[in-house]
Amino acid sequence: MMSNSDQNLPEKALNIFSGASGENPFPIFAQMRAMGSVIQIPFPMAGEGGQAWLVTRMEEAMQVLKDHHRFTVDLSSINGDSNGRESLADHAESGPPTFFTGKSMLFVDEPDHRRLRGLVSKAFTPRYMESLRPRVQKIADELLDRVQAQGEMDIVKDYAYPLPINVISEMLGVPQSDQEQIHVWSGAIAHGLGLGRQEPRVAEHLRAFGEYTSQLVADKRKYPGDDLISQLIAIEEEGDRLNEAELISMITLLIFAGHETTSNLIATGSLMLLDHPEQLDKLKADLHLVPSAVEELLRFNGPATIAGPRFAIEDTELAGKQIKKGDMVFPLLKSANRDEAQFTQPEELDVTRKINRHLAFGHGIHMCLGAPLARVEADIAFTTLLRRMPNLRLSVPRENVTWHFTLSSQGLASLPVAF
């Protein structure tokens, strides 16, 4: 027989969508895993007669993420409804599309997903990401040069945010003078838009972001360069191109995803290391451990809390639960990454962990396209920070560290440190 606390757990689980679960939702996740791999939750957006489910363990989460015969990201393929995205586009007064209101890789499955990803992947190869290392290193050093003499900084504002936004802006050919405005739009969209909620000005920011990107594309058509946007305009595969709407949606997605999640990885990872001084000491003693430490930080407390909803294409069974056609299914990434059946001492941070098959970047066809870039940036960011500032420490009480909660993730609002 379930205790009252167990009975209330599905309702508590809803807090992960709003951030009300706080900076440490992991005890709730552990309780949910103990209840089962798949848990039904109350969720208003599931619609009349619909149900929503959280997937708490890795094996089942991987099934949902990779099985596009049973689960889809595109609800319109089932019943013609796009989960409210059209209404948001309407509120945006039919402006240019964005990654959320337009046809982007986030919301389509095969064959459209293969076509869209195939076109952009030609310019977004792991080899190209590795070639960026010297430039990423230069940006990291320049950012730390600015604060070195001060003896203190805010890792979020001075390092974790500007590093990836500079990198993705240079890749895409976005003028440096526009980066602050993009930061404003991205932050407003990420913080104001979520499952079951929408802040009043989100549509306005999405429209402005789309209009800006549309003009950027128009400028690149007239004056192409060696940047990624110019390459995307020029790329052709088997006679197919990105049409204008797809191109703008793709670019807004690359700009948004290209800095928001990596910024959270660098900032939250820094805090996790400061919270575990013995692991920080291991890393400082051997910076060759940084790549494995990055994987462990991704597993332990990565940027994405939950994957975007999948919808059951047909009535199906998952971990003994009957999932009905159209039901919403949410793979809970941070819970899966601490699955006791997959990891030894999953609640412990271990920068030397060898077996680390985490889901921080997702899985299957929708696995994060920018994962190689995020790994390069994080590797350089942590190596440079610890090499140049080995005495890194918090400059505020730990309880004063502030968080913000976005579409599907949590990140730090600020992280004041001294060195």
Side-chain angles (χ1 to χ4, degrees):
M1 184 175 179
M2 288 195 302
S3 68
N4 287 335
S5 61
D6 288 339
Q7 291 172 337
N8 292 334
L9 201 56
E11 284 78 6
K12 289 181 181 178
L14 286 177
N15 291 336
I16 66 175
F17 294 105
S18 65
S21 58
E23 70 166 273
N24 183 20
F26 294 103
I28 294 176
F29 296 163
Q31 291 177 54
M32 287 194 291
R33 288 194 300 276
M35 285 181 65
S37 301
V38 181
I39 298 174
Q40 187 177 350
I41 60 171
F43 199 68
M45 286 185 68
E48 186 175 350
Q51 297 178 338
W53 306 82
L54 284 178
V55 184
T56 66
R57 289 188 173 274
M58 179 168 288
E59 182 179 343
E60 289 78 11
M62 290 177 69
Q63 287 181 38
V64 173
L65 291 169
K66 72 180 180 183
D67 190 347
H68 56 269
H69 297 294
R70 289 197 296 163
F71 302 99
T72 179
V73 296
D74 183 8
L75 184 57
S76 66
S77 67
I78 302 174
N79 59 15
D81 178 12
S82 290
N83 198 29
R85 289 193 296 120
E86 282 102 337
S87 63
L88 185 56
D90 291 341
H91 288 309
E93 296 178 3
S94 301
T98 65
F99 66 93
F100 195 81
T101 60
K103 184 178 180 181
S104 76
M105 292 187 295
L106 292 179
F107 301 113
V108 295
D109 281 320
E110 309 296 25
D112 282 337
H113 182 273
R114 183 186 299 113
R115 182 178 66 85
L116 292 172
R117 189 171 180 124
L119 287 165
V120 72
S121 292
K122 281 183 169 289
F124 219 79
T125 64
R127 184 175 181 179
Y128 174 59
M129 297 303 103
E130 283 295 319
S131 76
L132 293 173
R133 278 187 176 273
R135 184 58 189 142
V136 176
Q137 183 65 64
K138 188 170 189 298
I139 293 171
D141 281 320
E142 287 173 349
L143 290 171
L144 295 185
D145 285 344
R146 295 176 189 174
V147 298
Q148 188 85 56
Q150 301 171 13
E152 60 182 14
M153 68 170 167
D154 180 339
I155 283 185
V156 175
K157 179 174 67 73
D158 296 320
Y159 194 56
Y161 162 70
L163 192 154
I165 190 64
N166 270 280
V167 173
I168 196 67
S169 294
E170 288 190 8
M171 284 176 60
L172 291 168
V174 174
Q176 190 169 18
S177 58
D178 296 340
Q179 289 178 15
E180 186 54 40
Q181 179 60 68
I182 287 171
H183 180 41
V184 171
W185 288 329
S186 297
I189 293 166
H191 304 160
L193 187 64
L195 292 161
R197 79 178 198 281
Q198 179 187 326
E199 297 296 332
R201 295 191 64 195
V202 169
E204 177 185 332
H205 291 298
L206 280 167
R207 184 177 62 253
F209 195 7
E211 289 172 348
Y212 168 82
T213 306
S214 180
Q215 184 58 54
L216 189 62
V217 168
D219 292 344
K220 296 294 182 184
R221 288 192 189 280
K222 289 182 181 178
Y223 309 105
D226 58 0
D227 54 82
L228 188 52
I229 293 178
S230 298
Q231 291 180 53
L232 288 173
I233 292 170
I235 279 174
E236 187 168 358
E237 183 178 76
E238 298 176 358
D240 193 12
R241 289 178 184 269
L242 292 164
N243 64 40
E244 189 75 6
E246 291 169 343
L247 182 63
I248 295 170
S249 294
M250 180 73 73
I251 293 167
T252 59
L253 175 61
L254 292 174
I255 293 173
F256 179 84
H259 77 278
E260 186 78 19
T261 54
T262 308
S263 175
N264 285 343
L265 166 59
I266 295 169
T268 303
S270 297
L271 179 61
M272 294 302 99
L273 290 172
L274 291 169
D275 280 347
H276 297 81
E278 73 291 346
Q279 297 299 311
L280 179 58
D281 287 343
K282 281 185 184 179
L283 207 51
K284 289 191 294 187
D286 183 4
L287 291 177
H288 292 98
L289 289 174
V290 168
S292 70
V294 168
E295 299 305 316
E296 176 67 346
L297 292 168
L298 283 162
R299 181 200 70 83
F300 187 73
N301 198 352
T305 301
I306 198 164
R310 268 58 175 175
F311 303 92
I313 296 172
E314 58 189 14
D315 290 356
T316 189
E317 181 181 305
L318 185 65
K321 299 297 176 68
Q322 299 303 312
I323 311 294
K324 299 294 185 183
K325 177 181 177 180
D327 280 2
M328 304 176 78
V329 183
F330 295 94
L332 191 49
L333 304 180
K334 286 194 178 186
S335 178
N337 284 340
R338 296 202 184 188
D339 187 345
E340 297 82 358
Q342 301 290 331
F343 301 99
T344 303
Q345 296 183 307
E347 300 296 326
E348 299 295 323
L349 181 71
D350 179 3
V351 297
T352 65
R353 191 181 294 273
K354 302 298 183 187
I355 301 174
N356 207 339
R357 187 184 59 160
H358 60 74
L359 297 181
F361 291 122
H363 187 67
I365 64 171
H366 288 280
M367 186 171 179
C368 177
L369 178 71
L373 177 59
R375 287 184 164 108
V376 167
E377 291 175 323
D379 182 8
I380 290 172
F382 287 116
T383 300
T384 308
L385 182 66
L386 298 180
R387 175 173 49 80
R388 293 188 51 171
M389 298 170 175
N391 296 318
L392 193 72
R393 60 195 182 278
L394 279 176
S395 59
V396 296
R398 178 60 175 81
E399 60 269 21
N400 289 358
V401 173
T402 54
W403 296 77
H404 63 66
F405 301 89
T406 66
L407 280 169
S408 62
S409 66
Q410 68 181 115
L412 289 167
S414 67
L415 185 62
V417 296
F419 42 82

